[in-house]
Amino acid sequence: MKIPFSTMDRMHAAIRNDMMAAFENCYDVGWFIQGRQCEEFEKEFAAYCGGEYCVGVANGLDALFLSIRALGLGAGDEIIVPGDTFIATALAVSYAGATPVLAEPDLMTANLDGHGLEELVTEKTRAIIPVHLYGQMADMDPIMAFAKKHNLYVIEDCAQAHGATYKGRKAGTIGDVGCFSFYPGKNLGALGDGGAVVTNNKELADKVRALGNYGSDRKYHHIYKATNSRLDEVQAALLRVKLRHLDRQNEERNRIAAKYLAGIKHPDVVLPVIGENRTHVWHIFALMCKDRDGMAKWLGDHEIGTNCHYPIAVADQPCYAEENLVRWPNATKIAAEELSLPFFIGMTDEEIQYVIDTVNAFPAR
């Protein structure tokens, strides 16, 4: 049986007619930037998250970067980020002219949990970016308490956590601002790049919008030296369709994850853990295996696709070589041992069981 790591074919087949109708509507209206579709999506996504305001932007990296700039952060400032995240989190900090300071993640959830943060604070520290990695939120209470103690901004990186909750509150609504990516593979994915910023602060939302629209607060009037980063009408229209299915699809992700958690029983495998007071939306199913490369090859030999998120820790990326960032042991271990199993909407019980059986059959070390 051949099973890809991921495919959107089955998910898209189920909503094809609605997606085509949304595209045709945009095509016929002939308005492709800053129109009704983006405006309506922003309202709908803000309501879905439980936030007051949403600003559509071009991608998840821009959501982070524009939020950092809108908060007035830049050269001379330090921003705490996890040591095991997709490079975009750190790049956004660098892109804004600030300095990323790496924090050690919790080994069981791969997220920040408040431990070890006090030692990172200097007179230059201005913000912290908890990343809700793999589909569940970081432990936000201690992070928020830490931020309050040191008067820091909290920028939630929600790129992998659309719909995840912490104590009943959805990702993106606990900190000062929530930053989302709509890259096609996300739980809520466009058919191209896209992103959004969610906040309860109108002034902040207005500034993000202006910064993403050439620094303009009205046509031909530019109050900031800024950039062009806007969610286009076609992607907004398609996202409106997909948003209606997000909760149901997140439930399906939980169904698949539950089968993996119950069925995989291998002495060399450490299964993902759901943190207390959280719901998981399973952007990926990330296990840990000491012989990660051997397991990946074994599964590949049995025509099962896998991926690694992320095999190089931020501190070890060539682009940060000159900055001598701290190499935390947990971040390094996660980078060396994480393996993502096949996980996609429409996955059959037979496919899930084949993956389980093949993982369990991997020769133990």
Side-chain angles (χ1 to χ4, degrees), residues 184-224:
K186 305 299 185 184
N187 290 40
L188 180 62
L191 300 193
D193 267 324
V197 172
V198 173
T199 181
N200 291 324
N201 185 324
K202 185 179 187 303
E203 181 180 354
L204 183 61
D206 290 344
K207 191 170 183 181
V208 168
R209 190 178 301 282
L211 287 168
N213 188 34
Y214 301 98
S216 174
D217 59 344
R218 63 181 188 271
K219 193 169 185 179
Y220 300 136
H221 185 259
H222 305 272
I223 55 178
Y224 308 111

Side-chain angles (χ1 to χ4, degrees), residues 35-93:
R36 175 180 170 274
Q37 293 297 331
C38 187
E39 181 180 340
E40 292 300 314
F41 172 73
E42 289 175 342
K43 292 178 182 176
E44 291 162 4
F45 192 64
Y48 175 83
C49 293
E52 292 291 325
Y53 307 99
C54 172
V55 180
V57 298
N59 53 65
L61 173 58
D62 282 359
L64 289 164
F65 163 68
L66 292 171
S67 295
I68 293 169
R69 276 209 59 189
L71 290 167
L73 308 179
D77 296 327
E78 294 178 350
I79 300 177
I80 298 171
V81 303
D84 67 323
T85 180
F86 181 56
I87 195 67
T89 313
L91 287 180
V93 175

Side-chain angles (χ1 to χ4, degrees), residues 69-309:
R69 276 209 59 189
L71 290 167
L73 308 179
D77 296 327
E78 294 178 350
I79 300 177
I80 298 171
V81 303
D84 67 323
T85 180
F86 181 56
I87 195 67
T89 313
L91 287 180
V93 175
S94 300
Y95 190 23
T99 299
V101 175
L102 301 185
E104 179 77 306
D106 170 56
L107 190 59
M108 299 307 294
T109 65
N111 282 324
L112 296 185
D113 61 0
H115 289 94
L117 297 179
E118 290 289 343
E119 292 78 5
L120 304 177
V121 177
T122 73
E123 61 181 13
K124 298 179 180 180
T125 309
R126 295 290 180 268
I128 181 170
I129 305 180
V131 179
H132 305 320
L133 202 64
Y134 304 155
Q136 73 169 321
M137 294 178 65
D139 195 357
M140 292 301 293
D141 277 357
I143 292 170
M144 294 302 294
F146 164 77
K148 182 178 181 180
K149 177 181 177 181
H150 296 284
N151 195 29
L152 307 180
Y153 293 114
V154 178
I155 303 166
E156 295 180 63
D157 184 336
C158 312
Q160 300 183 9
H162 310 73
T165 65
Y166 178 89
K167 293 188 174 180
R169 298 179 65 180
K170 283 185 178 173
T173 62
I174 297 178
D176 295 281
V177 62
C179 301
F180 292 83
S181 167
F182 302 128
Y183 180 80
K186 305 299 185 184
N187 290 40
L188 180 62
L191 300 193
D193 267 324
V197 172
V198 173
T199 181
N200 291 324
N201 185 324
K202 185 179 187 303
E203 181 180 354
L204 183 61
D206 290 344
K207 191 170 183 181
V208 168
R209 190 178 301 282
L211 287 168
N213 188 34
Y214 301 98
S216 174
D217 59 344
R218 63 181 188 271
K219 193 169 185 179
Y220 300 136
H221 185 259
H222 305 272
I223 55 178
Y224 308 111
K225 295 174 183 176
T227 189
N228 172 23
S229 179
R230 302 173 298 198
L231 181 65
D232 71 69
E233 284 288 279
V234 172
Q235 297 301 342
L238 300 176
L239 285 166
R240 291 184 70 195
V241 174
K242 298 184 87 173
L243 181 59
R244 299 198 295 265
H245 300 273
L246 179 57
D247 283 342
R248 176 184 58 78
Q249 291 174 352
N250 282 345
E251 289 175 4
E252 182 170 352
R253 291 175 180 274
N254 270 275
R255 178 189 68 83
I256 298 169
K259 289 184 177 295
Y260 277 156
L261 291 171
I264 295 175
K265 301 181 186 300
H266 192 287
D268 294 339
V269 167
V270 177
L271 293 170
V273 172
I274 303 175
E276 188 177 1
N277 300 313
R278 278 162 270 193
T279 62
H280 206 313
V281 295
W282 301 102
H283 171 59
I284 58 173
F285 189 90
L287 55 78
M288 300 271 286
C289 183
K290 290 182 179 179
D291 187 11
R292 189 260 308 283
D293 294 342
M295 176 69 82
K297 184 179 185 304
W298 170 264
L299 293 173
D301 288 345
H302 290 80
E303 298 190 295
I304 296 173
T306 60
N307 207 337
C308 299
H309 297 85

Side-chain angles (χ1 to χ4, degrees), residues 11-34:
M11 174 179 66
H12 284 165
I15 59 174
R16 177 182 175 84
N17 291 341
D18 288 344
M19 294 285 275
M20 292 299 105
F23 171 76
E24 289 175 4
N25 177 260
C26 287
Y27 191 89
D28 292 340
V29 170
W31 191 290
F32 303 110
I33 298 288
Q34 292 186 312

